[in-house]
Amino acid sequence: MLAPVLAWAKTAARYPRSADHMEAVLELSEPLVHWLAAAQPLLEEFLGWWIESPHAALEAHQVEYTRLFVARWGGIPVPLYASWYLDRETFRGAAAEVTAGFYEKWGLAWRETDLKAPPDHLAVELEFLEILCRDVLTAPREAAEVTLSALALWQEFRSSHFDRWVPCCAVAMGRHATLPVYKVLALTLTHLCEEDQAHEGHHP
Amino acid sequence: MAPLSRREFLQWTTGGVAAAALSDWVFFKKILWATPEEGEKLFYHSCHICDCNCGMIYQMKNGRIVEMRGNPADKLGAAGKLCVKGYSTPRLYHDPCRLSHPLQRTNPRKGRDQDPAWKIITWDEAFNLVGEQFRRAYDQYGPESILLFARAKPWDSHLQYAIGTPNQLCHVDTCYINHEVAGKAVSGQRIWGWDFSHAKYIVGFGYDQPGKSKNIHQREFMEARRNGAKIVIFDPRLSETAQKADLWIPIRPGTDLAALLAMIHVIIDQGLYDKGFVEKYTVGFDKLKPHVAKYTPQWAEKICDVPAQTLVQIAREFGSIRPATLAYHKRDAGGPVFMNSFQTAHAMLVLQALVGSLDRPGGLYFSRTPKLPSIKDVYQLSYPDLQGKARFDDPENLTPLAFKAQKAGFSTAADAILNDAKPHVALFHSYNTTSFSNPQRFEQALKKLDFIVNVDMYLTELGMYADVVLPENLWIESSGFTERSYQAERPQILLDEGAPKLHDTKSYGEIVNGILAAMKLYDFVVDPKKFTPAQLKALGLDKDTLRQAGGVFDSGEPFKPTEQFKTPSGKIELYSTVLEQAGHAPMPEWVEPAVKPTSEYPYYVVTHHLPWMRMLKNANDPILKDLQCENKAHIHPSVAQKLGVKEKDFVWLETPVGRIKLKVAVTEGIRPDTVMTEHGFGIWAKGRCQGFGWGQNEGEILPDRTLAEMKRWKRHAAGRGVGICDTTVRITKA
């Protein structure tokens, strides 16, 4: 259940470069509305806008993403990486190093993309969780330096890292977002962290 | 907009082609074996926060700078020690507020109250946007419609020459232009070195480089102190340098020229000049001697508020204790501080020559930089001819020597743009509106331009007016080498090993070539990666050799004093034919500063850079912020009493240009007719999240110049210096 939700969140946490990206945000959202009912009216609002005026909607999302997460006339209100929250507002701080260690435990290496999202970027961490959920059987665990079960790694990653910063990020996002997609992303992150807290031992 | 049914919504959300395309692993790849933990790696670089370019060594671990220190092999520079500014580098590298992607403005309205509403674009999109706008201006209005606000560094000059615009504007009007123009006119070269450690007598006029934590100056100056040199500092305020001097002389602002002319008078009148040096290496002494006869110490006393006897004593000591030198650099009294400061810079050179310490041990000297091939040489380029292309801001050839040095333009930029139809588009490379005095007026000029591109590392105040912002690598992310120019008594270069880039940024060489390609100026598009190896090869070096030598190539050449000077006569010209032919005064002569205190504006104003601030380059460092996050109005206790204010009260400083509100700092260390405030504050562009809101920009009360004013000052302001403090202020309790 959680893997598609994580896939949606990962997509929403990436820069909406193109119309295809916006379409993907919509196409991946079906499981999300089952998991988080509050998302549906907001996503419907977004879909209506998208159908009516895709060009304007795309640019509005690009401006909103830039304003919230990258560069803004009023300072960046919601940096999307862990180091900001855990390492006194730095970029690529110790938290980035910590995440790379987790990825390596599952036989994965962080790969730099064209937008150079750091290893502790929200989208990267969400993809890691998605992989743990989705790809337990095929992940190349045998090559990892330390072999852990997906569950143990999930729990360790969540409790020692992800859940230490994502709730703060989600609160800031909820406060500053003006477009439905980012309001839904904030709700999703909050729900994800709260759900895990409510169900101690819950696994993907 | 009609509401959607649940069915319609679900039809859209069932995972189509776009979702499939984006569902693969984006950020990960499999590793087939465990990688050993990355050890710490050591790299060499020179610090680019200021022009001292101190050698540094830094260590990287897992993508992070974990240690930084001075490079002990850099004997002419840091000698193993960095200043506080250099140590801010790791924090700048990991600064979350650095520009990370090219940005395009989506809100066409511009102004301090306008959100540009940026969106991220790709580099290709950015180059296409810039190329399209620049090419349109190039085709419709000619290359001169393109303004380049940039330093005369290799890639900046390549862009200028390739486009073929004469209009490159540089900040040096607010920096060292007077010294540059005076040095080249009188002695044939720029003075960029100082040998304080061997001097026995040092006199400074507004000189406070150690107070700005200029590492090399500081080291040299303190060595002079330890060696027992006598040090005299003329300054309206008790600067950090003045505090370490034997004698502080609180001279009236804008009158250093009178004191210098009086010293020249005494040294000539009493026969204290170095006769051997003057005879062998100078021309024009016969004209200088009668020219300065009128500048007696008694005459100077009335102007500069320094007792004649004090001036006589200092002149005598300066003329008789050898070697004696002037402490000299950038924004001292010969910098562009007052409209008569070019004459001050000129008088300083003449005085230095009279005591025989120009380009001699214990004195000031020319830089010995390595002979390196230019971009034109390396890539065998043939640029369009710029000869005869008039600059848009110099219709009557006001300051030809300043333009020849490619280092002028800021002082009159706003006036020229507002009153000339030629400029249409502009590129700003690492310049900010706070680099200008009277930025309010400059911002009006920016609104007149059709298109602005800003290349920088931060979203600055200038960026707020840009249409496209291109993020440049932080200097420590760039590789190559740096020529030592400060204090280069022999050729020296430092290896620059770039740290991994943290963002989607580019080097300026890449940016320039991207713009030229987008402008379809293909003849000038080159591979910037070939430039450094070609230059090193010309010196018989490569990166590996430099690395093995500890990151520093030191030629070890012994200092050879100049025998033949690069002037028309081959000598130091005490009567400058170069200045005369350009329409300027051939010998330093007294001229009043532009403004004197009045009943309405009764106080002088002077400025200072704090030792931990490099203008705004490191203004986003959270640790430096803790040291002092606001500038203050430093006033004498008698002024505080008159105004009825005490320490930490607020006052307004007001000039005809504008007004700023500052906290009061009361000090005995300033003249009662003068107020001092620090430069480097007043950030209103919220892109710099740490520095935003600190203090006030003192530039908002300082003047810029009109072309008409420059015309009136042609005889005396050969450097086109802005006369940044040539205004007076009213102070009122806030």
Side-chain angles (χ1 to χ4, degrees):
Chain A
M1 180 62 202
L2 212 45
V5 170
L6 291 165
W8 180 87
K10 174 189 81 175
T11 308
R14 293 173 61 199
Y15 183 65
R17 179 79 87 189
S18 61
D20 274 357
H21 190 105
M22 302 302 290
E23 297 272 345
V25 171
L26 282 166
E27 289 168 0
L28 293 169
S29 64
E30 196 266 339
L32 177 69
V33 298
H34 294 298
W35 181 77
L36 180 66
Q40 185 162 334
L42 289 164
L43 287 167
E44 285 174 2
E45 184 189 336
F46 163 51
L47 175 58
W49 186 19
W50 180 248
I51 291 168
E52 195 171 88
S53 181
H55 180 75
L58 174 62
E59 182 162 280
H61 281 80
Q62 290 174 332
V63 171
E64 172 94 332
Y65 187 98
T66 308
R67 183 182 76 82
L68 286 174
F69 310 131
V70 181
R72 183 201 172 206
W73 181 63
I76 308 161
V78 196
L80 275 193
Y81 44 88
S83 297
W84 171 272
Y85 302 88
L86 303 178
D87 297 327
R88 296 183 191 176
E89 303 181 1
T90 58
F91 181 82
R92 282 293 288 269
E97 214 174 323
V98 167
T99 55
F102 276 107
Y103 306 151
E104 197 171 313
K105 283 181 185 175
W106 200 246
L108 298 171
W110 161 76
R111 173 168 58 189
E112 205 170 66
T113 54
D114 58 345
L115 282 177
K116 285 189 171 272
D120 57 342
H121 191 276
L122 178 66
V124 183
E125 296 193 4
L126 287 167
E127 181 169 274
F128 178 60
L129 291 175
E130 181 198 351
I131 289 169
L132 287 180
C133 280
R134 215 188 269 282
D135 207 22
V136 167
L137 294 176
T138 54
R141 273 175 295 178
E142 69 283 357
E145 189 177 309
V146 179
T147 303
L148 289 172
S149 72
L151 175 60
L153 191 55
W154 168 281
Q155 287 175 332
E156 191 188 346
F157 183 73
R158 291 288 305 271
S159 62
S160 71
H161 175 77
F162 187 85
D163 285 16
R164 288 177 57 219
W165 73 275
V166 171
C168 299
C169 175
V171 168
M173 201 184 302
R175 191 182 320 133
H176 292 279
T178 62
L179 298 186
V181 169
Y182 301 110
K183 287 181 184 171
V184 173
L185 180 59
L187 289 172
T188 304
L189 296 172
T190 302
H191 192 58
L192 180 69
C193 294
E194 284 173 354
E195 189 180 61
D196 233 27
Q197 276 179 354
H199 304 283
E200 193 78 30
H202 171 84
H203 60 84
Chain B
M1 183 174 69
L4 297 166
S5 69
R6 180 172 172 78
R7 187 163 163 268
E8 285 171 318
F9 177 74
L10 290 176
Q11 276 175 348
W12 272 88
T13 58
T14 48
V17 178
L22 284 159
S23 64
D24 296 333
W25 289 6
V26 178
F27 302 107
F28 293 101
K29 58 188 174 191
K30 291 177 184 176
I31 47 176
L32 299 178
W33 52 85
T35 48
E37 192 179 347
E38 191 189 330
E40 292 178 1
K41 289 183 183 167
L42 184 146
F43 299 93
Y44 297 104
H45 216 290
S46 59
C47 176
H48 288 216
I49 291 182
C50 84
D51 287 340
C52 286
N53 294 134
C54 299
M56 46 173 52
I57 299 173
Y58 67 99
Q59 295 192 10
M60 298 287 303
K61 188 181 178 190
N62 295 332
R64 298 170 59 213
I65 297 180
V66 292
E67 194 191 328
M68 180 161 274
R69 59 182 186 272
N71 184 351
D74 179 20
K75 297 278 194 293
L76 293 182
K81 291 176 184 167
L82 297 177
C83 78
V84 62
K85 301 186 293 293
Y87 283 118
S88 67
T89 306
R91 294 187 294 279
L92 299 181
Y93 182 64
H94 293 284
D95 185 346
C97 295
R98 264 209 285 147
L99 278 166
S100 53
H101 305 86
L103 300 173
Q104 181 188 0
R105 179 187 207 94
T106 62
N107 176 7
R109 291 184 302 278
K110 294 182 179 179
R112 290 192 187 186
D113 56 348
Q114 292 294 329
D115 180 350
W118 302 110
K119 68 172 184 179
I120 296 172
I121 52 176
T122 64
W123 276 100
D124 284 346
E125 289 166 337
F127 285 141
N128 287 339
L129 275 168
V130 177
E132 188 187 322
Q133 294 288 337
F134 273 40
R135 184 73 208 198
R136 182 180 300 149
Y138 183 93
D139 290 337
Q140 287 185 8
Y141 311 107
E144 53 273 28
S145 66
I146 300 172
L147 306 186
L148 302 173
F149 288 81
R151 292 158 180 83
K153 296 203 168 175
W155 291 111
D156 296 292
S157 297
H158 175 58
L159 183 63
Q160 184 203 354
Y161 295 145
I163 290 173
T165 174
N167 296 320
Q168 180 172 18
L169 292 92
C170 183
H171 74 287
V172 181
D173 294 10
T174 61
C175 194
Y176 60 83
I177 188 71
N178 288 341
H179 290 307
E180 169 114 0
V181 173
K184 285 184 173 168
V186 173
S187 66
Q189 270 183 269
R190 167 198 210 187
I191 315 289
W192 214 240
W194 38 88
D195 188 19
F196 297 153
S197 55
H198 294 104
K200 292 190 177 153
Y201 200 91
I202 301 171
V203 178
F205 288 88
Y207 170 89
D208 190 27
Q209 293 299 92
K212 295 171 191 167
S213 189
K214 292 283 188 171
N215 213 4
I216 295 177
H217 283 261
Q218 211 162 0
R219 177 173 57 72
E220 278 280 321
F221 190 84
M222 293 315 290
E223 226 169 294
R225 188 69 277 176
R226 277 193 297 275
N227 292 343
K230 181 166 181 181
I231 298 167
V232 178
I233 297 293
F234 288 80
D235 199 314
R237 70 183 186 94
L238 184 63
S239 65
E240 281 76 0
T241 307
Q243 287 172 42
K244 291 177 173 53
D246 296 281
L247 194 57
W248 167 48
I249 299 172
I251 192 169
R252 179 176 287 139
T255 65
D256 305 76
L257 173 60
L260 276 154
L261 290 169
M263 284 178 70
I264 294 171
H265 169 96
V266 171
I267 285 171
I268 292 178
D269 188 55
Q270 300 191 10
L272 298 172
Y273 57 94
D274 184 330
K275 295 179 184 66
F277 187 90
V278 168
E279 196 170 313
K280 189 171 179 188
Y281 297 109
T282 73
V283 289
F285 183 76
D286 54 329
K287 289 178 177 154
L288 180 68
K289 187 175 177 180
H291 171 73
V292 297
K294 58 185 174 288
Y295 299 133
T296 63
Q298 291 71 25
W299 162 83
E301 176 179 339
K302 290 178 202 142
I303 295 171
C304 59
D305 197 20
V306 178
Q309 197 47 45
T310 304
L311 291 170
V312 170
Q313 181 202 329
I314 294 166
R316 280 184 183 155
E317 290 174 354
F318 194 75
S320 54
I321 299 173
R322 304 271 161 79
T325 188
L326 290 167
Y328 167 108
H329 197 55
K330 286 195 174 177
R331 273 170 71 161
D332 59 12
V337 192
F338 296 94
M339 290 305 286
N340 66 4
S341 287
F342 180 81
Q343 297 303 308
T344 307
H346 191 176
M348 288 166 83
L349 271 174
V350 167
L351 182 59
Q352 190 83 21
L354 287 174
V355 297
S357 58
L358 189 51
D359 204 53
R360 294 295 180 272
L364 304 174
Y365 58 79
F366 311 135
S367 284
R368 270 76 173 159
T369 50
K371 300 271 180 294
L372 294 168
S374 65
I375 289 175
K376 186 181 176 193
D377 300 332
V378 169
Y379 300 99
Q380 299 182 324
L381 301 174
S382 177
Y383 292 120
D385 189 4
L386 277 178
Q387 284 293 323
K389 278 195 174 179
R391 281 180 61 121
F392 85 110
D393 54 349
D394 193 27
E396 296 171 54
N397 207 18
L398 297 176
T399 51
L401 301 176
F403 287 143
K404 197 176 164 193
Q406 286 189 296
K407 285 170 183 170
F410 273 30
S411 53
T412 55
D415 188 58
I417 294 171
L418 287 167
N419 294 303
D420 195 310
K422 284 195 233 31
H424 284 268
V425 299
L427 177 144
F428 288 82
H429 180 202
S430 290
Y431 278 141
N432 191 4
T433 59
T434 53
S435 311
F436 294 77
S437 49
N438 197 357
Q440 306 91 301
R441 188 149 183 264
F442 187 66
E443 288 165 35
Q444 291 305 312
L446 290 178
K447 288 183 189 175
K448 196 187 161 204
L449 295 170
D450 301 339
F451 182 82
I452 295 171
V453 55
N454 181 210
V455 183
D456 210 311
M457 290 169 276
Y458 287 95
L459 265 182
T460 67
E461 289 69 19
L462 192 287
M464 295 296 110
Y465 286 89
D467 296 279
V468 170
V469 175
L470 303 179
E472 188 180 2
N473 295 344
L474 183 67
W475 50 268
I476 201 155
E477 294 172 325
S478 285
S479 296
F481 66 90
T482 299
E483 280 176 78
R484 155 118 316 117
S485 60
Y486 268 17
Q487 193 61 16
E489 61 187 52
R490 54 184 185 267
Q492 191 192 39
I493 60 172
L494 298 111
L495 176 63
D496 289 337
E497 294 181 306
K501 284 196 307 180
L502 291 189
H503 299 288
D504 187 18
T505 55
K506 287 189 185 292
S507 70
Y508 195 59
E510 292 171 309
I511 291 171
V512 162
N513 283 286
I515 292 172
L516 290 174
M519 287 182 74
K520 301 186 171 59
L521 294 171
Y522 299 118
D523 287 349
F524 305 105
V525 179
V526 299
D527 178 1
K529 290 193 180 70
K530 292 181 180 168
F531 187 46
T532 295
Q535 286 198 309
L536 285 177
K537 195 178 168 190
L539 296 174
L541 294 170
D542 58 33
K543 285 187 179 177
D544 291 339
T545 321
L546 269 175
R547 180 160 241 286
Q548 282 158 17
V552 180
F553 162 73
D554 191 331
S555 68
E557 288 173 17
F559 180 79
K560 285 186 201 158
T562 299
E563 295 288 322
Q564 184 76 14
F565 294 83
K566 294 176 184 169
T567 58
S569 61
K571 296 190 174 189
I572 297 165
E573 297 198 343
L574 300 178
Y575 182 99
S576 170
T577 54
V578 174
L579 287 169
E580 185 175 44
Q581 279 168 21
H584 308 302
M587 289 183 289
E589 59 190 33
W590 171 249
V591 56
E592 295 278 357
V595 177
K596 280 184 168 179
T598 61
S599 55
E600 195 180 358
Y601 298 106
Y603 297 96
Y604 294 101
V605 59
V606 293
T607 65
H608 167 57
H609 287 183
L610 285 164
W612 51 86
M613 293 272 276
R614 168 62 175 163
M615 268 71 93
L616 296 173
K617 261 192 187 175
N618 56 350
N620 213 47
D621 184 331
I623 291 183
L624 300 187
K625 179 186 176 182
D626 289 345
L627 293 172
Q628 183 175 335
C629 65
E630 62 187 344
N631 50 339
K632 295 175 183 169
H634 298 257
I635 54 174
H636 192 268
S638 63
V639 178
Q641 193 180 16
K642 201 153 102 185
L643 295 169
V645 296
K646 56 185 187 309
E647 189 88 8
K648 295 183 182 173
D649 283 350
F650 280 95
V651 289
W652 285 105
L653 302 191
E654 195 171 353
T655 71
V657 170
R659 67 177 195 160
I660 54 175
K661 187 179 172 183
L662 298 174
K663 215 177 258 182
V664 166
V666 181
T667 172
E668 293 274 356
I670 194 161
R671 287 175 59 94
D673 57 2
T674 304
V675 56
M676 186 278 276
T677 188
E678 297 92 347
H679 176 69
F681 292 89
I683 294 171
W684 59 264
K686 300 174 187 174
R688 283 190 290 202
C689 30
Q690 289 290 343
F692 170 71
W694 298 8
Q696 299 268 297
N697 175 13
E698 94 291 357
E700 309 244 344
I701 60 168
L702 302 179
D704 63 338
R705 299 292 163 191
T706 63
L707 291 171
E709 275 178 288
M710 276 297 168
K711 195 173 179 182
R712 286 199 297 275
W713 277 91
K714 173 157 186 178
R715 181 170 176 81
H716 297 110
R720 210 187 183 91
V722 69
I724 203 161
C725 292
D726 220 342
T727 187
T728 48
V729 301
R730 175 166 59 230
I731 312 175
T732 50
K733 190 174 179 179

